[in-house]
């Protein structure tokens, strides 16, 4: 999916959220959304405020906070708490990966599965609004599998030597 296609999916998602919750489609909200989608990484309200000002577009801090809250509620953004208590935001799609966790070494791998994502994005749960999902698949990585194989071959060889 290209970047702009991806953005239009998120914009649609926001429109749907506003309509379903009886909130107005103000130009201000869409302008802020456009600036939010231009960030390619985590950002803070401070970053967003600079970005807004650089566009010669002025809104109060409380409007920014309220609007970003709407993005979080509609499932476009996720709040990430940084250790020192400050708070950043990231796009939800960044966490919509399948996580593969090796049970031996603990290594984590991320894979994107478009079919699975399409399925999850269409999946509705009763009395629940999904903001993001996080699928963890447990197993064994190739490195560990190779090591275990070598070890078992070695112990089999040791056994046959002892005979
Ligand atoms: Zn491993």
């Amino acid at each position: 999916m290209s970047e702009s296609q991806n953005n239009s999916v998120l914009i649609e998602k926001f429109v749907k959220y506003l309509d379903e919750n009886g909130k107005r489609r103000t130009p201000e909200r869409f302008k802020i959304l456009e600036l939010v989608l231009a960030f390619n990484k985590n950002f803070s309200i401070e970053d967003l405020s600079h970005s807004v000002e650089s566009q010669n577009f002025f809104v109060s801090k409380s409007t920014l906070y309220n609007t970003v809250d709407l993005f979080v509620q509609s499932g476009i953004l996720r709040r990430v708490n940084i250790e020192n208590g400050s708070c950043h935001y990231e796009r939800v799609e960044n966490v919509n990966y399948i996580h593969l966790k090796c049970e031996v070494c603990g290594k984590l791998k991320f894979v994107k599965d478009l079919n699975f994502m399409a399925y999850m994005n269409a999946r509705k749960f009763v009395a629940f609004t999904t903001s993001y999902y996080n699928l963890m698949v447990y197993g064994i990585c190739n490195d560990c599998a190779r090591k275990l194989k070598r070890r078992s071959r070695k112990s089999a060889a040791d056994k046959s030597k002892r005979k």
Side-chain angles (χ1 to χ4, degrees), residues 131-162:
S131 41
Y132 69 101
Y133 53 84
N134 194 340
L135 177 69
M136 190 74 96
V137 179
Y138 296 90
I140 181 165
C141 73
N142 271 355
D143 287 345
C144 290
R146 227 175 286 130
K147 274 180 209 156
L148 285 177
K149 212 172 179 183
R150 225 177 285 145
R151 211 174 294 158
S152 72
R153 222 183 279 139
K154 191 173 180 291
S155 73
D158 288 349
K159 260 179 221 156
S160 65
K161 248 183 259 166
R162 255 179 261 138

PDB file of all heavy atoms in Angstrom, residues 131-162:
ATOM      1  N   SER A 131      -8.747  -0.200  18.860  1.00  0.00           N
ATOM      2  CA  SER A 131      -7.858   0.883  18.438  1.00  0.00           C
ATOM      3  C   SER A 131      -6.607   0.308  17.786  1.00  0.00           C
ATOM      4  O   SER A 131      -6.089   0.882  16.846  1.00  0.00           O
ATOM      5  CB  SER A 131      -7.538   1.838  19.578  1.00  0.00           C
ATOM      6  OG  SER A 131      -7.304   1.166  20.760  1.00  0.00           O
ATOM      7  N   TYR A 132      -6.114  -0.779  18.275  1.00  0.00           N
ATOM      8  CA  TYR A 132      -5.026  -1.462  17.579  1.00  0.00           C
ATOM      9  C   TYR A 132      -4.975  -2.896  18.070  1.00  0.00           C
ATOM     10  O   TYR A 132      -5.635  -3.249  19.043  1.00  0.00           O
ATOM     11  CB  TYR A 132      -3.668  -0.775  17.774  1.00  0.00           C
ATOM     12  CG  TYR A 132      -3.092  -0.860  19.166  1.00  0.00           C
ATOM     13  CD1 TYR A 132      -2.087  -1.777  19.465  1.00  0.00           C
ATOM     14  CD2 TYR A 132      -3.548  -0.023  20.176  1.00  0.00           C
ATOM     15  CE1 TYR A 132      -1.540  -1.852  20.733  1.00  0.00           C
ATOM     16  CE2 TYR A 132      -3.006  -0.096  21.446  1.00  0.00           C
ATOM     17  CZ  TYR A 132      -2.001  -1.014  21.716  1.00  0.00           C
ATOM     18  OH  TYR A 132      -1.468  -1.091  22.973  1.00  0.00           O
ATOM     19  N   TYR A 133      -4.226  -3.723  17.380  1.00  0.00           N
ATOM     20  CA  TYR A 133      -4.091  -5.103  17.819  1.00  0.00           C
ATOM     21  C   TYR A 133      -2.634  -5.493  17.792  1.00  0.00           C
ATOM     22  O   TYR A 133      -1.792  -4.813  17.211  1.00  0.00           O
ATOM     23  CB  TYR A 133      -4.924  -6.053  16.952  1.00  0.00           C
ATOM     24  CG  TYR A 133      -4.671  -5.932  15.476  1.00  0.00           C
ATOM     25  CD1 TYR A 133      -3.611  -6.605  14.876  1.00  0.00           C
ATOM     26  CD2 TYR A 133      -5.477  -5.132  14.688  1.00  0.00           C
ATOM     27  CE1 TYR A 133      -3.377  -6.477  13.530  1.00  0.00           C
ATOM     28  CE2 TYR A 133      -5.241  -5.007  13.329  1.00  0.00           C
ATOM     29  CZ  TYR A 133      -4.190  -5.678  12.758  1.00  0.00           C
ATOM     30  OH  TYR A 133      -3.949  -5.557  11.427  1.00  0.00           O
ATOM     31  N   ASN A 134      -2.358  -6.559  18.431  1.00  0.00           N
ATOM     32  CA  ASN A 134      -0.992  -6.961  18.654  1.00  0.00           C
ATOM     33  C   ASN A 134      -0.982  -8.482  18.719  1.00  0.00           C
ATOM     34  O   ASN A 134      -1.393  -9.056  19.708  1.00  0.00           O
ATOM     35  CB  ASN A 134      -0.583  -6.353  20.007  1.00  0.00           C
ATOM     36  CG  ASN A 134       0.883  -6.385  20.222  1.00  0.00           C
ATOM     37  OD1 ASN A 134       1.603  -7.159  19.584  1.00  0.00           O
ATOM     38  ND2 ASN A 134       1.361  -5.566  21.134  1.00  0.00           N
ATOM     39  N   LEU A 135      -0.583  -9.123  17.636  1.00  0.00           N
ATOM     40  CA  LEU A 135      -0.606 -10.579  17.625  1.00  0.00           C
ATOM     41  C   LEU A 135       0.797 -11.123  17.871  1.00  0.00           C
ATOM     42  O   LEU A 135       1.743 -10.755  17.194  1.00  0.00           O
ATOM     43  CB  LEU A 135      -1.125 -11.102  16.279  1.00  0.00           C
ATOM     44  CG  LEU A 135      -1.118 -12.629  16.142  1.00  0.00           C
ATOM     45  CD1 LEU A 135      -2.130 -13.288  17.046  1.00  0.00           C
ATOM     46  CD2 LEU A 135      -1.360 -13.041  14.702  1.00  0.00           C
ATOM     47  N   MET A 136       0.899 -11.975  18.859  1.00  0.00           N
ATOM     48  CA  MET A 136       2.195 -12.562  19.209  1.00  0.00           C
ATOM     49  C   MET A 136       2.166 -14.042  18.838  1.00  0.00           C
ATOM     50  O   MET A 136       1.294 -14.782  19.281  1.00  0.00           O
ATOM     51  CB  MET A 136       2.378 -12.386  20.718  1.00  0.00           C
ATOM     52  CG  MET A 136       3.742 -12.708  21.213  1.00  0.00           C
ATOM     53  SD  MET A 136       4.960 -11.452  20.779  1.00  0.00           S
ATOM     54  CE  MET A 136       4.953 -10.492  22.279  1.00  0.00           C
ATOM     55  N   VAL A 137       3.107 -14.442  18.001  1.00  0.00           N
ATOM     56  CA  VAL A 137       3.209 -15.850  17.605  1.00  0.00           C
ATOM     57  C   VAL A 137       4.462 -16.414  18.280  1.00  0.00           C
ATOM     58  O   VAL A 137       5.543 -15.846  18.147  1.00  0.00           O
ATOM     59  CB  VAL A 137       3.333 -15.992  16.070  1.00  0.00           C
ATOM     60  CG1 VAL A 137       3.454 -17.450  15.656  1.00  0.00           C
ATOM     61  CG2 VAL A 137       2.136 -15.346  15.377  1.00  0.00           C
ATOM     62  N   TYR A 138       4.323 -17.487  19.030  1.00  0.00           N
ATOM     63  CA  TYR A 138       5.459 -18.067  19.740  1.00  0.00           C
ATOM     64  C   TYR A 138       6.021 -19.250  18.960  1.00  0.00           C
ATOM     65  O   TYR A 138       5.267 -19.995  18.341  1.00  0.00           O
ATOM     66  CB  TYR A 138       5.032 -18.521  21.136  1.00  0.00           C
ATOM     67  CG  TYR A 138       4.605 -17.376  22.008  1.00  0.00           C
ATOM     68  CD1 TYR A 138       3.288 -16.942  22.041  1.00  0.00           C
ATOM     69  CD2 TYR A 138       5.552 -16.692  22.774  1.00  0.00           C
ATOM     70  CE1 TYR A 138       2.897 -15.872  22.815  1.00  0.00           C
ATOM     71  CE2 TYR A 138       5.170 -15.606  23.559  1.00  0.00           C
ATOM     72  CZ  TYR A 138       3.845 -15.205  23.579  1.00  0.00           C
ATOM     73  OH  TYR A 138       3.478 -14.140  24.353  1.00  0.00           O
ATOM     74  N   GLY A 139       7.313 -19.400  19.002  1.00  0.00           N
ATOM     75  CA  GLY A 139       7.924 -20.513  18.286  1.00  0.00           C
ATOM     76  C   GLY A 139       9.422 -20.517  18.487  1.00  0.00           C
ATOM     77  O   GLY A 139       9.915 -20.108  19.549  1.00  0.00           O
ATOM     78  N   ILE A 140      10.128 -20.937  17.475  1.00  0.00           N
ATOM     79  CA  ILE A 140      11.581 -21.022  17.585  1.00  0.00           C
ATOM     80  C   ILE A 140      12.212 -20.419  16.332  1.00  0.00           C
ATOM     81  O   ILE A 140      11.749 -20.701  15.218  1.00  0.00           O
ATOM     82  CB  ILE A 140      12.030 -22.481  17.856  1.00  0.00           C
ATOM     83  CG1 ILE A 140      13.545 -22.573  17.994  1.00  0.00           C
ATOM     84  CG2 ILE A 140      11.522 -23.454  16.801  1.00  0.00           C
ATOM     85  CD1 ILE A 140      14.009 -23.872  18.617  1.00  0.00           C
ATOM     86  N   CYS A 141      13.238 -19.583  16.522  1.00  0.00           N
ATOM     87  CA  CYS A 141      13.871 -18.951  15.367  1.00  0.00           C
ATOM     88  C   CYS A 141      14.843 -19.937  14.710  1.00  0.00           C
ATOM     89  O   CYS A 141      15.246 -20.924  15.325  1.00  0.00           O
ATOM     90  CB  CYS A 141      14.570 -17.661  15.774  1.00  0.00           C
ATOM     91  SG  CYS A 141      16.092 -17.871  16.699  1.00  0.00           S
ATOM     92  N   ASN A 142      15.213 -19.640  13.478  1.00  0.00           N
ATOM     93  CA  ASN A 142      16.103 -20.534  12.730  1.00  0.00           C
ATOM     94  C   ASN A 142      17.450 -20.731  13.410  1.00  0.00           C
ATOM     95  O   ASN A 142      17.991 -21.825  13.405  1.00  0.00           O
ATOM     96  CB  ASN A 142      16.334 -19.986  11.318  1.00  0.00           C
ATOM     97  CG  ASN A 142      15.275 -20.506  10.361  1.00  0.00           C
ATOM     98  OD1 ASN A 142      14.450 -21.342  10.744  1.00  0.00           O
ATOM     99  ND2 ASN A 142      15.301 -20.007   9.149  1.00  0.00           N
ATOM    100  N   ASP A 143      18.002 -19.654  13.988  1.00  0.00           N
ATOM    101  CA  ASP A 143      19.297 -19.748  14.671  1.00  0.00           C
ATOM    102  C   ASP A 143      19.228 -20.774  15.796  1.00  0.00           C
ATOM    103  O   ASP A 143      20.086 -21.643  15.917  1.00  0.00           O
ATOM    104  CB  ASP A 143      19.705 -18.397  15.267  1.00  0.00           C
ATOM    105  CG  ASP A 143      20.126 -17.413  14.181  1.00  0.00           C
ATOM    106  OD1 ASP A 143      20.374 -17.874  13.042  1.00  0.00           O
ATOM    107  OD2 ASP A 143      20.172 -16.207  14.477  1.00  0.00           O
ATOM    108  N   CYS A 144      18.176 -20.646  16.617  1.00  0.00           N
ATOM    109  CA  CYS A 144      18.025 -21.564  17.746  1.00  0.00           C
ATOM    110  C   CYS A 144      17.734 -22.981  17.258  1.00  0.00           C
ATOM    111  O   CYS A 144      18.246 -23.950  17.819  1.00  0.00           O
ATOM    112  CB  CYS A 144      16.921 -21.090  18.679  1.00  0.00           C
ATOM    113  SG  CYS A 144      17.375 -19.588  19.564  1.00  0.00           S
ATOM    114  N   ALA A 145      16.919 -23.099  16.211  1.00  0.00           N
ATOM    115  CA  ALA A 145      16.587 -24.424  15.676  1.00  0.00           C
ATOM    116  C   ALA A 145      17.863 -25.118  15.203  1.00  0.00           C
ATOM    117  O   ALA A 145      18.064 -26.305  15.465  1.00  0.00           O
ATOM    118  CB  ALA A 145      15.584 -24.290  14.537  1.00  0.00           C
ATOM    119  N   ARG A 146      18.742 -24.347  14.528  1.00  0.00           N
ATOM    120  CA  ARG A 146      19.991 -24.909  14.013  1.00  0.00           C
ATOM    121  C   ARG A 146      20.884 -25.374  15.176  1.00  0.00           C
ATOM    122  O   ARG A 146      21.449 -26.456  15.145  1.00  0.00           O
ATOM    123  CB  ARG A 146      20.715 -23.855  13.169  1.00  0.00           C
ATOM    124  CG  ARG A 146      21.206 -24.401  11.840  1.00  0.00           C
ATOM    125  CD  ARG A 146      21.810 -23.311  10.979  1.00  0.00           C
ATOM    126  NE  ARG A 146      20.803 -22.432  10.405  1.00  0.00           N
ATOM    127  CZ  ARG A 146      20.820 -21.100  10.451  1.00  0.00           C
ATOM    128  NH1 ARG A 146      21.818 -20.467  11.076  1.00  0.00           N
ATOM    129  NH2 ARG A 146      19.874 -20.381   9.899  1.00  0.00           N
ATOM    130  N   LYS A 147      20.976 -24.518  16.207  1.00  0.00           N
ATOM    131  CA  LYS A 147      21.804 -24.856  17.375  1.00  0.00           C
ATOM    132  C   LYS A 147      21.295 -26.125  18.052  1.00  0.00           C
ATOM    133  O   LYS A 147      22.073 -26.990  18.432  1.00  0.00           O
ATOM    134  CB  LYS A 147      21.786 -23.707  18.394  1.00  0.00           C
ATOM    135  CG  LYS A 147      22.831 -22.651  18.108  1.00  0.00           C
ATOM    136  CD  LYS A 147      22.757 -21.544  19.144  1.00  0.00           C
ATOM    137  CE  LYS A 147      23.225 -20.231  18.537  1.00  0.00           C
ATOM    138  NZ  LYS A 147      22.663 -19.061  19.250  1.00  0.00           N
ATOM    139  N   LEU A 148      19.964 -26.207  18.217  1.00  0.00           N
ATOM    140  CA  LEU A 148      19.386 -27.378  18.880  1.00  0.00           C
ATOM    141  C   LEU A 148      19.636 -28.645  18.072  1.00  0.00           C
ATOM    142  O   LEU A 148      19.927 -29.702  18.629  1.00  0.00           O
ATOM    143  CB  LEU A 148      17.880 -27.196  19.087  1.00  0.00           C
ATOM    144  CG  LEU A 148      17.476 -26.237  20.199  1.00  0.00           C
ATOM    145  CD1 LEU A 148      15.961 -26.102  20.254  1.00  0.00           C
ATOM    146  CD2 LEU A 148      18.013 -26.707  21.554  1.00  0.00           C
ATOM    147  N   LYS A 149      19.558 -28.522  16.755  1.00  0.00           N
ATOM    148  CA  LYS A 149      19.758 -29.656  15.873  1.00  0.00           C
ATOM    149  C   LYS A 149      21.194 -30.159  16.011  1.00  0.00           C
ATOM    150  O   LYS A 149      21.441 -31.354  16.137  1.00  0.00           O
ATOM    151  CB  LYS A 149      19.506 -29.204  14.422  1.00  0.00           C
ATOM    152  CG  LYS A 149      18.931 -30.287  13.531  1.00  0.00           C
ATOM    153  CD  LYS A 149      18.550 -29.646  12.215  1.00  0.00           C
ATOM    154  CE  LYS A 149      17.988 -30.629  11.231  1.00  0.00           C
ATOM    155  NZ  LYS A 149      17.707 -29.969   9.948  1.00  0.00           N
ATOM    156  N   ARG A 150      22.137 -29.162  16.016  1.00  0.00           N
ATOM    157  CA  ARG A 150      23.555 -29.508  16.129  1.00  0.00           C
ATOM    158  C   ARG A 150      23.806 -30.237  17.455  1.00  0.00           C
ATOM    159  O   ARG A 150      24.494 -31.226  17.508  1.00  0.00           O
ATOM    160  CB  ARG A 150      24.392 -28.217  16.079  1.00  0.00           C
ATOM    161  CG  ARG A 150      25.604 -28.333  15.177  1.00  0.00           C
ATOM    162  CD  ARG A 150      26.347 -27.016  15.113  1.00  0.00           C
ATOM    163  NE  ARG A 150      25.666 -26.019  14.287  1.00  0.00           N
ATOM    164  CZ  ARG A 150      25.664 -24.703  14.540  1.00  0.00           C
ATOM    165  NH1 ARG A 150      26.274 -24.215  15.609  1.00  0.00           N
ATOM    166  NH2 ARG A 150      25.047 -23.877  13.735  1.00  0.00           N
ATOM    167  N   ARG A 151      23.180 -29.674  18.529  1.00  0.00           N
ATOM    168  CA  ARG A 151      23.368 -30.254  19.858  1.00  0.00           C
ATOM    169  C   ARG A 151      22.836 -31.690  19.908  1.00  0.00           C
ATOM    170  O   ARG A 151      23.455 -32.577  20.474  1.00  0.00           O
ATOM    171  CB  ARG A 151      22.653 -29.386  20.899  1.00  0.00           C
ATOM    172  CG  ARG A 151      23.338 -29.412  22.249  1.00  0.00           C
ATOM    173  CD  ARG A 151      22.693 -28.424  23.198  1.00  0.00           C
ATOM    174  NE  ARG A 151      22.876 -27.038  22.783  1.00  0.00           N
ATOM    175  CZ  ARG A 151      22.100 -26.025  23.155  1.00  0.00           C
ATOM    176  NH1 ARG A 151      21.056 -26.244  23.945  1.00  0.00           N
ATOM    177  NH2 ARG A 151      22.342 -24.806  22.761  1.00  0.00           N
ATOM    178  N   SER A 152      21.653 -31.914  19.294  1.00  0.00           N
ATOM    179  CA  SER A 152      21.076 -33.259  19.379  1.00  0.00           C
ATOM    180  C   SER A 152      21.879 -34.242  18.532  1.00  0.00           C
ATOM    181  O   SER A 152      22.026 -35.413  18.889  1.00  0.00           O
ATOM    182  CB  SER A 152      19.602 -33.244  18.979  1.00  0.00           C
ATOM    183  OG  SER A 152      19.480 -33.050  17.600  1.00  0.00           O
ATOM    184  N   ARG A 153      22.473 -33.706  17.409  1.00  0.00           N
ATOM    185  CA  ARG A 153      23.291 -34.587  16.567  1.00  0.00           C
ATOM    186  C   ARG A 153      24.549 -34.999  17.347  1.00  0.00           C
ATOM    187  O   ARG A 153      24.969 -36.123  17.333  1.00  0.00           O
ATOM    188  CB  ARG A 153      23.691 -33.842  15.286  1.00  0.00           C
ATOM    189  CG  ARG A 153      23.577 -34.718  14.053  1.00  0.00           C
ATOM    190  CD  ARG A 153      24.039 -33.970  12.830  1.00  0.00           C
ATOM    191  NE  ARG A 153      23.035 -33.085  12.275  1.00  0.00           N
ATOM    192  CZ  ARG A 153      23.278 -31.853  11.798  1.00  0.00           C
ATOM    193  NH1 ARG A 153      24.504 -31.365  11.823  1.00  0.00           N
ATOM    194  NH2 ARG A 153      22.318 -31.129  11.300  1.00  0.00           N
ATOM    195  N   LYS A 154      25.101 -33.976  18.084  1.00  0.00           N
ATOM    196  CA  LYS A 154      26.314 -34.213  18.861  1.00  0.00           C
ATOM    197  C   LYS A 154      26.039 -35.229  19.966  1.00  0.00           C
ATOM    198  O   LYS A 154      26.815 -36.169  20.170  1.00  0.00           O
ATOM    199  CB  LYS A 154      26.794 -32.889  19.476  1.00  0.00           C
ATOM    200  CG  LYS A 154      28.186 -32.950  20.080  1.00  0.00           C
ATOM    201  CD  LYS A 154      28.648 -31.577  20.517  1.00  0.00           C
ATOM    202  CE  LYS A 154      30.046 -31.627  21.135  1.00  0.00           C
ATOM    203  NZ  LYS A 154      30.041 -32.312  22.431  1.00  0.00           N
ATOM    204  N   SER A 155      24.899 -35.081  20.652  1.00  0.00           N
ATOM    205  CA  SER A 155      24.644 -36.009  21.751  1.00  0.00           C
ATOM    206  C   SER A 155      24.367 -37.413  21.211  1.00  0.00           C
ATOM    207  O   SER A 155      24.730 -38.412  21.851  1.00  0.00           O
ATOM    208  CB  SER A 155      23.502 -35.504  22.642  1.00  0.00           C
ATOM    209  OG  SER A 155      22.272 -35.645  21.997  1.00  0.00           O
ATOM    210  N   ALA A 156      23.782 -37.511  20.022  1.00  0.00           N
ATOM    211  CA  ALA A 156      23.568 -38.827  19.401  1.00  0.00           C
ATOM    212  C   ALA A 156      24.920 -39.461  19.061  1.00  0.00           C
ATOM    213  O   ALA A 156      25.136 -40.660  19.293  1.00  0.00           O
ATOM    214  CB  ALA A 156      22.715 -38.685  18.135  1.00  0.00           C
ATOM    215  N   ALA A 157      25.856 -38.610  18.566  1.00  0.00           N
ATOM    216  CA  ALA A 157      27.194 -39.115  18.230  1.00  0.00           C
ATOM    217  C   ALA A 157      27.921 -39.566  19.491  1.00  0.00           C
ATOM    218  O   ALA A 157      28.589 -40.618  19.494  1.00  0.00           O
ATOM    219  CB  ALA A 157      27.986 -38.021  17.520  1.00  0.00           C
ATOM    220  N   ASP A 158      27.780 -38.803  20.575  1.00  0.00           N
ATOM    221  CA  ASP A 158      28.407 -39.173  21.854  1.00  0.00           C
ATOM    222  C   ASP A 158      27.886 -40.514  22.330  1.00  0.00           C
ATOM    223  O   ASP A 158      28.640 -41.359  22.806  1.00  0.00           O
ATOM    224  CB  ASP A 158      28.120 -38.102  22.933  1.00  0.00           C
ATOM    225  CG  ASP A 158      28.911 -36.825  22.670  1.00  0.00           C
ATOM    226  OD1 ASP A 158      29.810 -36.869  21.786  1.00  0.00           O
ATOM    227  OD2 ASP A 158      28.597 -35.799  23.305  1.00  0.00           O
ATOM    228  N   LYS A 159      26.574 -40.689  22.211  1.00  0.00           N
ATOM    229  CA  LYS A 159      25.946 -41.940  22.654  1.00  0.00           C
ATOM    230  C   LYS A 159      26.521 -43.133  21.891  1.00  0.00           C
ATOM    231  O   LYS A 159      26.851 -44.151  22.467  1.00  0.00           O
ATOM    232  CB  LYS A 159      24.424 -41.879  22.458  1.00  0.00           C
ATOM    233  CG  LYS A 159      23.688 -41.555  23.749  1.00  0.00           C
ATOM    234  CD  LYS A 159      22.192 -41.474  23.505  1.00  0.00           C
ATOM    235  CE  LYS A 159      21.574 -40.332  24.271  1.00  0.00           C
ATOM    236  NZ  LYS A 159      20.325 -39.887  23.652  1.00  0.00           N
ATOM    237  N   SER A 160      26.655 -42.962  20.553  1.00  0.00           N
ATOM    238  CA  SER A 160      27.115 -44.088  19.740  1.00  0.00           C
ATOM    239  C   SER A 160      28.588 -44.406  20.039  1.00  0.00           C
ATOM    240  O   SER A 160      29.012 -45.543  19.951  1.00  0.00           O
ATOM    241  CB  SER A 160      26.898 -43.820  18.250  1.00  0.00           C
ATOM    242  OG  SER A 160      27.707 -42.746  17.837  1.00  0.00           O
ATOM    243  N   LYS A 161      29.369 -43.356  20.451  1.00  0.00           N
ATOM    244  CA  LYS A 161      30.771 -43.567  20.798  1.00  0.00           C
ATOM    245  C   LYS A 161      30.877 -44.438  22.064  1.00  0.00           C
ATOM    246  O   LYS A 161      31.761 -45.244  22.219  1.00  0.00           O
ATOM    247  CB  LYS A 161      31.449 -42.210  21.083  1.00  0.00           C
ATOM    248  CG  LYS A 161      32.495 -41.846  19.998  1.00  0.00           C
ATOM    249  CD  LYS A 161      33.189 -40.564  20.351  1.00  0.00           C
ATOM    250  CE  LYS A 161      32.635 -39.377  19.553  1.00  0.00           C
ATOM    251  NZ  LYS A 161      33.060 -38.087  20.094  1.00  0.00           N
ATOM    252  N   ARG A 162      29.914 -44.164  22.994  1.00  0.00           N
ATOM    253  CA  ARG A 162      29.946 -44.868  24.280  1.00  0.00           C
ATOM    254  C   ARG A 162      29.637 -46.336  24.142  1.00  0.00           C
ATOM    255  O   ARG A 162      29.968 -47.117  25.004  1.00  0.00           O
ATOM    256  CB  ARG A 162      28.920 -44.203  25.238  1.00  0.00           C
ATOM    257  CG  ARG A 162      29.611 -43.341  26.284  1.00  0.00           C
ATOM    258  CD  ARG A 162      28.597 -42.705  27.180  1.00  0.00           C
ATOM    259  NE  ARG A 162      28.325 -41.331  26.792  1.00  0.00           N
ATOM    260  CZ  ARG A 162      27.117 -40.765  26.757  1.00  0.00           C
ATOM    261  NH1 ARG A 162      26.060 -41.486  27.069  1.00  0.00           N
ATOM    262  NH2 ARG A 162      26.967 -39.533  26.429  1.00  0.00           N
TER     263      ARG A 162
END
